[in-house]
Amino acid sequence: MALGLLIEQTFNGLQLGMILFLMAIGVTLAFGVMNLINLAHGSMLMLGAYFIAAASAKTPSYLIAFVVAMAGIALVAALLEVTLIRPLYARGHLDQVLATFGISIALNELVIWIWGREAMFVSLPEALDGFVQIGSNIQYPVYRLAITSVAILAGLALFALLSRTRLGMRIRAGAEKGEMIGALGVNVRALFTAVFVISAMLAALGGVMLGPLLAVQSGMGDPLLILALAVVVIGGIGSLKGALVASLLVGLTDTFGRMVFPDLLGQLVGNIVANASVYILMALVIAIRPTGLFGKR
Amino acid sequence: MIRTTLAAIAATCLAFGSAGAYAQQKIKLGLILGLSGPLNVVGAEQKRGFDIAMDHLGGKLGGIPVEIVQADSKANPSATVQEFSRLIEKDKVDLITGLTASNEIIAAMKPITDAKMIFVGMNGGPAPLAGEQCNPYYFNVSFQNAQLTAGMGSYMVNAGVKKLYLIGMDYEAGHEHTHAARKGYSGDVVAHTFTPLSQVDFAADIAKIRASGADGVFAFYPGGPGIAFVRQWNQAGLGGKIPLFSNIALSEPTVFQAQGKTAMGIQMSAVYFAAMDNPANRKFVADFRVKFGRDPASYAGLAYDAIMLIDSAVRAVKGDVKNTEALRAALKKADFQSVRGDFRFNTNQQPIQSTYAVVVDARPDNSLYLKEVKVAAKNAPDDFVAKCPMK
Amino acid sequence: MMAPHRPALGFKLILGTLLLAALIVPLLGEPYYTKLIARMAILAIAAMTLDLLVGYAGLVSFGHAAFFGLGVYTAGLLPMLGIQQAIIIFPAAALIAGLFALISGAVSLRASGLYFIFITLAFSQMVFYVGQGLRMFGGDDGFQLKAPTLLIGNVSLGNPVVLAYTMIGALVLLTWVSHRLTRSRFGQTILAARDNESKLSALGLAPYPHRLVLYVIACSMCSVAGVGFANLMEYVSPSTMSWVVSGELLFMVILGSAATLIGPILGAVVFVGLEQVLSEWTEHWMFWLGALLVLRVLLLKDGLYGLLLGKWALRRQPSGSHQ
């Protein structure tokens, strides 16, 4: 395999992995702190993409559009949490799965209702519309590198938030000993809302960044949600470290799988295995460690 | 129970009273398009062409008011079967037109044959249905898949492509089009791959193309994936470096705005493009521009033709659409003004038409359009007509 | 979840009326509505078998569509080998589904709670991708059913009336079997495992083998619905195995009330009915379906089954711990 191809595919795998990481931390954080399993997460990504598409149609400045989109998501997420999500904390996981599944179906249709069925398009910000020369043969799109970098930064920012701030301390406490923090005078409701909004914004960030790359359409977050769930399971539900390791693992497996398996196993079998590779990985991990790589036993 | 009795009485009346002279008060037309799903961009454009046709005909077919029953096929064969069943058995339409994808058309054949319901296809033409499995109830006004793409093989040879990379969406049409392009190509085929229908991120595939050393790429991606592919192709620095070929699925007025300058220079084969010069098309394009602010894509032009065809046939049978045999004969005559200029049906009810090589170019005002490069084939049939039992 | 109960007379009357309506409609000569009844019966079988897992065993499977799809594909592929007889096709479907359930269940049941939910999703995705990848069988496009399943002689499931009655019959039979199963010693062990695992091991009973057996049984039964579906649509496609279908089946279970068997059947009937009615009314009916699901989960204590028993109550307190 040529070195150039190897490098390019590694970058692609990292990009996918980091997008999955953004989604996976949201899922795993919500679970760790609120014991909430949230299938509407894919819709948050989709809304992020729609919001940036709508905002950039109204203003030539990408920066303003970005801020407006993220603010919009924060608002929507807060509203959703207070009205529909809050009652779910006390419920069983089946109820949470179904209610959030219902929310995602409704949101998928809502965006069609508002913005129509046709895919929307966001133009790339001028500054990022080009490529960098890597080696003699590869031109890698600047924008993809930007996505990966932003995702890494977001991850670092989250880490800083959790380890250095009061809010972060409360979140970690909530994840460890949920019942205690209420007794210590922490406003648990507000905390949960904050965590939900943070998770949603992380997913939406993924959508905002993917918007210019792909076509903005209804349901665009769902395939990524399924992969993100695989990431969370492989990494261990509730573990941030697990989410990071697993998302990189999954991103690289998926990207390299698509390249390697068809050559190795022939078009037919190879394509099937390439598509299913992440799920096969998930089954293998569960078979060996039923709570994921870093999950609590 | 009452409904069935009434239906029986009505049928008896028809049987006694028709003899071809029964005039309908209203015609019920089923319009089924892939309005949601991976090809929704295509379905929406077909609807626009349909709308202009209805404007021109004043909401009538053959002078008779028409009631449209709309259905969404989702570009999914199994949803298509369900919707056809609904249109035929519940809404009891007189005839059906539309469909956005070749796989859907194949799925529709059993329902229409069982019900002896005529279907006029607006987009796509799978090979089996042009050949051994040709169906008397299916009229294809658009193009047979290979017919659309056939000229590209030799075109690419003439364009100097020595190492070709073929890539397309993994469904019926994707296979047919890429194989048709490959057929006429005599150089070295470096790879021939397919990507899942839902895939919109082509980073890995573009990396493979780059690494393969190909000096020409034929890519079949309609709708949303087509937009994504072209944008990503240019972002990866390959625009202008490696020539891109396709049929008009990849870059068309529907996606010009989204693709922008990245689309320039893409060379494609087409049976219809907005710049075609004949009276019917000039009128169609002018009104389309007024209503929708841009040129029509081929999907719109072909949808327009389908309605005009149906209009001519209904007029010929004086509204007696229940007489399936008469309607069939009238449709076969194809006695209408096509926006493509010359058009007639072959014995397999597929088009005999010309194909052209076009390229994406910019007008002085920087808007994009499809410019004719040359005529690839004049009034040609498809490759499969000999295998069709209908004569 | 519903506590054990005694069905009232009014309840039996309503169910009886529904069954009667289902039996009469196919005789009216309207193929569209006959097919609707068949569709309701088919999805009812799938939902009811899922309830065995979700309601009685506390196993939330997000991959039930795989077994439905395996039934669809069996009915589609065997005619290519010249086999059309129901007497071979139904057992074959059950066998294939059962085999896949054995393998996937053996792995999945090692996980619990959320992990179980996601691992079942993973396995059904694998089956989906296999279906999608088989280009010779149309891949993602799927293929037309070459020949319908034949019951006896020339009586074919391709005839909507025959299909409707066959599926209703299958539904009644399988529901009765499932009902007996839940009342048996085996069933009691399963229920005990759902509610209190540690007590069970104190009694020397291991939940895992019992659950695996139940999993195989429930999933094989689901394939019967798949065979029916292939004949209904006259088409075989991988979309029957998608995770969205699994989600819809879970919706039917919860709409009707889990752990009741009859509840999910009602849930399936209402779901199909809603699809019909809502899609006539508005283009954006999926929004209302999603909203309905959310409202059902958030506001109501029990589903349709509870309604029938007159026990419909709004939630006053959270429903407590399970799974």
Side-chain angles (χ1 to χ4, degrees):
Chain A
M1 186 191 311
L3 185 65
L5 183 62
L6 187 66
I7 294 177
E8 191 169 359
Q9 295 292 40
T10 306
F11 276 122
N12 289 333
L14 282 175
Q15 186 217 309
L16 177 62
M18 289 317 290
I19 293 279
L20 290 177
F21 178 60
L22 286 180
M23 291 200 69
I25 5 172
V27 174
T28 223
L29 204 61
F31 187 80
V33 177
M34 295 111 77
N35 203 18
L36 172 78
I37 192 70
N38 179 12
L39 289 189
H41 219 55
S43 303
M44 293 297 123
L45 182 144
M46 176 186 73
L47 284 179
Y50 268 95
F51 281 15
I52 189 92
S56 27
K58 296 280 195 292
T59 165
S61 160
Y62 182 81
L63 203 61
I64 297 180
F66 183 87
V67 170
V68 167
M70 294 304 283
I73 289 290
L75 202 68
V76 169
L79 238 108
L80 212 62
E81 196 272 344
V82 169
T83 53
L84 297 177
I85 304 289
R86 196 167 280 177
L88 290 174
Y89 297 134
R91 299 295 175 71
H93 292 311
L94 173 61
D95 278 0
Q96 292 173 355
V97 163
L98 288 177
T100 52
F101 179 62
I103 292 173
S104 79
I105 293 177
L107 285 175
N108 276 345
E109 193 60 34
L110 193 64
V111 294
I112 293 178
W113 207 338
I114 299 176
W115 284 290
R117 285 185 196 283
E118 290 186 65
M120 287 175 76
F121 295 93
V122 199
S123 11
L124 276 186
E126 283 280 323
L128 297 172
D129 191 3
F131 39 82
V132 285
Q133 193 77 21
I134 303 173
S136 57
N137 201 28
I138 314 293
Q139 292 94 17
Y140 200 73
V142 172
Y143 192 67
R144 287 187 188 272
L145 287 176
I147 293 178
T148 313
S149 320
V150 170
I152 294 176
L153 281 173
L156 289 171
L158 184 72
F159 179 69
L161 177 82
L162 288 175
S163 54
R164 302 285 154 95
T165 68
R166 246 288 195 42
L167 173 65
M169 188 177 67
R170 291 190 181 130
I171 292 176
R172 279 183 295 137
E176 290 293 321
K177 286 264 180 289
E179 314 85 52
M180 288 298 289
I181 52 171
L184 290 170
V186 174
N187 185 344
V188 179
R189 281 188 164 187
L191 184 70
F192 282 12
T193 308
V195 172
F196 187 83
V197 170
I198 292 173
S199 318
M201 287 178 77
L202 286 169
L205 182 65
V208 165
M209 294 194 299
L210 285 176
L213 202 66
L214 315 173
V216 176
Q217 322 193 226
S218 173
M220 65 185 282
D222 296 338
L224 285 165
L225 173 67
I226 301 286
L227 277 181
L229 292 175
V231 166
V232 168
V233 169
I234 291 172
I237 303 178
S239 162
L240 287 175
K241 181 165 63 169
L244 181 62
V245 170
S247 33
L248 291 173
L249 192 61
V250 167
L252 291 166
T253 303
D254 191 78
T255 307
F256 279 99
R258 287 186 195 286
M259 197 171 60
V260 164
F261 287 125
D263 291 335
L264 217 61
L265 302 168
Q267 270 271 31
L268 189 75
V269 180
N271 266 333
I272 294 175
V273 174
N275 282 329
S277 61
V278 173
Y279 303 102
I280 297 174
L281 181 65
M282 187 157 133
L284 284 171
V285 169
I286 296 294
I288 303 170
R289 282 178 76 97
T291 51
L293 293 173
F294 297 98
K296 300 183 178 68
R297 285 216 160 261
Chain B
M1 211 74 82
I2 296 180
R3 205 194 311 199
T4 338
T5 323
L6 280 175
I9 295 175
T12 324
C13 289
L14 272 173
F16 279 134
S18 62
Y22 179 66
Q24 290 227 173
Q25 300 294 72
K26 198 156 67 149
I27 299 201
K28 235 176 169 187
L29 177 69
L31 175 70
I32 177 166
L33 298 170
L35 295 169
S36 55
L39 297 176
N40 61 7
V41 176
V42 177
E45 185 71 356
Q46 289 175 297
K47 180 76 178 21
R48 289 188 194 99
F50 169 84
D51 288 341
I52 300 285
M54 282 286 113
D55 284 347
H56 285 177
L57 293 173
K60 300 190 178 138
L61 286 172
I64 298 169
V66 59
E67 181 192 331
I68 309 290
V69 183
Q70 244 188 276
D72 182 3
S73 64
K74 306 187 172 102
N76 177 313
S78 125
T80 301
V81 171
Q82 222 171 305
E83 290 302 290
F84 265 81
S85 163
R86 180 170 76 84
L87 288 171
I88 295 172
E89 290 161 353
K90 178 160 182 270
D91 299 305
K92 304 208 203 296
V93 296
D94 295 314
L95 71 162
I96 303 178
T97 183
L99 284 191
T100 308
S102 303
N103 51 5
E104 301 180 301
I105 302 175
I106 294 181
M109 287 299 107
K110 186 160 202 301
I112 65 164
T113 315
D114 287 348
K116 298 192 178 27
M117 169 77 59
I118 288 181
F119 167 69
V120 178
M122 283 180 176
N123 191 50
L129 299 183
E132 323 83 53
Q133 292 170 41
C134 59
N135 189 318
Y137 300 101
Y138 167 47
F139 286 86
N140 182 5
V141 93
S142 61
F143 52 85
Q144 198 281 316
N145 289 341
Q147 181 188 50
L148 173 64
T149 314
M152 284 317 278
S154 49
Y155 183 87
M156 289 189 286
V157 170
N158 288 334
V161 176
K162 304 264 188 317
K163 294 159 120 191
L164 179 67
Y165 195 109
L166 297 137
I167 186 169
M169 256 171 135
D170 195 1
Y171 73 122
E172 178 66 31
H175 286 259
E176 288 194 28
H177 286 298
T178 50
H179 280 289
R182 184 176 180 160
K183 195 162 160 215
Y185 177 73
S186 49
D188 184 24
V189 172
V190 164
H192 188 164
T193 59
F194 299 96
T195 55
L197 267 165
S198 52
Q199 182 177 319
V200 279
D201 191 340
F202 300 98
D205 305 284
I206 292 175
K208 278 197 271 185
I209 294 175
R210 193 203 306 275
S212 71
D215 61 358
V217 174
F218 180 90
F220 175 71
Y221 286 107
I227 302 167
F229 184 85
V230 173
R231 282 159 71 106
Q232 290 163 26
W233 176 261
N234 282 275
Q235 283 162 18
L238 291 173
K241 268 186 87 180
I242 304 179
L244 203 50
F245 302 89
S246 185
N247 54 39
I248 28 73
L250 192 64
S251 182
E252 273 224 83
T254 40
V255 306
F256 279 163
Q257 209 195 6
Q259 287 174 339
K261 294 191 321 292
T262 64
M264 295 245 325
I266 300 179
Q267 298 165 78
M268 301 172 286
S269 61
V271 292
Y272 173 84
F273 51 100
M276 285 175 100
D277 197 13
N278 61 71
N281 195 38
R282 283 198 290 272
K283 179 169 182 231
F284 170 62
V285 172
D287 290 341
F288 194 96
R289 281 194 185 135
V290 166
K291 192 158 182 169
F292 299 113
R294 58 162 169 82
D295 283 349
S298 67
Y299 313 117
L302 297 172
Y304 181 87
D305 267 0
I307 299 301
M308 292 304 165
L309 167 71
I310 296 175
D311 171 66
S312 74
V314 172
R315 206 179 299 273
V317 298
K318 296 192 182 34
D320 187 13
V321 294
K322 298 263 189 266
N323 185 339
T324 313
E325 278 316 302
L327 189 61
R328 270 197 69 223
L331 283 166
K332 264 197 124 144
K333 290 214 185 74
D335 187 16
F336 73 105
Q337 295 297 326
S338 165
V339 294
R340 289 167 272 179
D342 289 330
F343 178 92
R344 31 182 240 282
F345 277 125
N346 206 335
T347 49
N348 58 1
Q349 292 171 192
Q350 301 282 319
I352 294 178
Q353 62 183 330
S354 307
T355 51
Y356 307 83
V358 297
V359 69
V360 181
D361 201 3
R363 285 191 270 249
D365 66 353
N366 275 337
S367 62
L368 295 176
Y369 76 109
L370 290 170
K371 183 169 106 167
E372 178 181 332
V373 174
K374 63 180 216 162
V375 177
K378 192 118 181 87
N379 290 332
D382 61 84
D383 291 334
F384 305 95
V385 59
K387 294 197 195 142
C388 169
M390 295 196 291
K391 294 295 168 223
Chain C
M1 299 224 184
M2 305 237 4
H5 53 270
R6 275 245 122 90
L9 179 63
F11 160 84
K12 285 190 176 149
L13 236 106
I14 294 180
L15 277 187
T17 318
L18 283 173
L19 186 62
L20 202 64
L23 290 170
I24 291 182
V25 168
L27 297 170
L28 298 179
E30 288 279 343
Y32 184 74
Y33 292 100
T34 308
K35 285 187 185 171
L36 201 63
I37 296 287
R39 190 189 183 86
M40 287 176 175
I42 287 168
L43 290 175
I45 293 175
M48 185 274 296
T49 55
L50 182 59
D51 191 22
L52 280 173
L53 299 175
V54 172
Y56 292 93
L59 297 170
V60 179
S61 165
F62 215 112
H64 214 53
F67 305 99
F68 184 73
L70 284 172
V72 174
Y73 269 81
T74 307
L77 293 174
L78 282 181
M80 293 186 181
L81 297 172
I83 301 171
Q84 271 185 268
Q85 295 74 11
I87 200 97
I88 302 181
I89 291 187
F90 278 107
L95 194 68
I96 293 172
L99 215 65
F100 185 67
L102 187 63
I103 301 172
S104 62
V107 175
S108 310
L109 287 167
R110 284 171 56 77
S112 58
L114 279 176
Y115 293 97
F116 178 78
I117 301 179
F118 296 135
I119 198 75
T120 51
L121 175 63
F123 275 112
S124 90
Q125 286 292 90
M126 284 186 231
V127 177
F128 173 75
Y129 284 124
V130 170
Q132 226 191 14
L134 294 174
R135 228 322 78 198
M136 65 285 260
F137 300 127
D140 194 72
D141 297 339
F143 60 95
Q144 200 157 281
L145 190 68
K146 298 283 177 284
T149 309
L150 297 174
L151 271 188
I152 314 164
N154 269 337
V155 178
S156 150
L157 290 184
N159 177 329
V161 177
V162 173
L163 181 65
Y165 285 135
T166 308
M167 286 294 120
I168 294 173
L171 176 65
V172 170
L173 179 67
L174 292 175
T175 307
W176 181 80
V177 167
S178 306
H179 179 76
R180 300 299 309 160
L181 194 68
T182 58
R183 290 266 185 268
S184 70
R185 193 80 149 306
F186 175 81
Q188 295 304 309
T189 314
I190 293 283
L191 280 166
R194 179 193 76 184
D195 295 329
N196 198 331
E197 259 195 59
S198 42
K199 206 184 245 174
L200 206 72
S201 5
L203 289 168
L205 289 166
Y208 181 84
H210 289 82
R211 286 181 172 149
L212 187 57
V213 170
L214 181 71
Y215 192 73
V216 171
I217 293 175
C219 296
S220 325
M221 289 199 289
C222 186
S223 68
V224 170
V227 172
F229 197 71
N231 281 281
L232 177 70
M233 302 298 292
E234 297 178 294
Y235 204 83
V236 174
S237 139
S239 63
T240 52
M241 301 189 278
S242 89
W243 64 277
V244 177
V245 175
S246 294
E248 290 177 350
L249 290 175
L250 282 173
F251 183 10
M252 292 174 211
V253 171
I254 207 77
L255 185 65
S257 292
T260 58
L261 293 183
I262 301 289
I265 293 175
L266 293 173
V269 171
V270 171
F271 183 87
V272 175
L274 273 177
E275 256 188 339
Q276 287 294 303
V277 167
L278 287 177
S279 59
E280 295 280 316
W281 177 48
T282 165
E283 197 191 324
H284 301 291
W285 59 279
M286 283 293 271
F287 175 80
W288 299 109
L289 204 68
L292 202 76
L293 178 54
V294 177
L295 288 174
R296 153 70 186 100
V297 171
L298 288 183
L299 292 182
L300 301 173
K301 225 170 172 315
D302 297 310
L304 295 168
Y305 195 66
L307 168 66
L308 272 190
L309 289 175
K311 286 188 180 186
W312 224 22
L314 294 177
R315 286 197 194 274
R316 286 175 217 298
Q317 290 128 327
S319 58
S321 62
H322 27 234
Q323 282 113 25

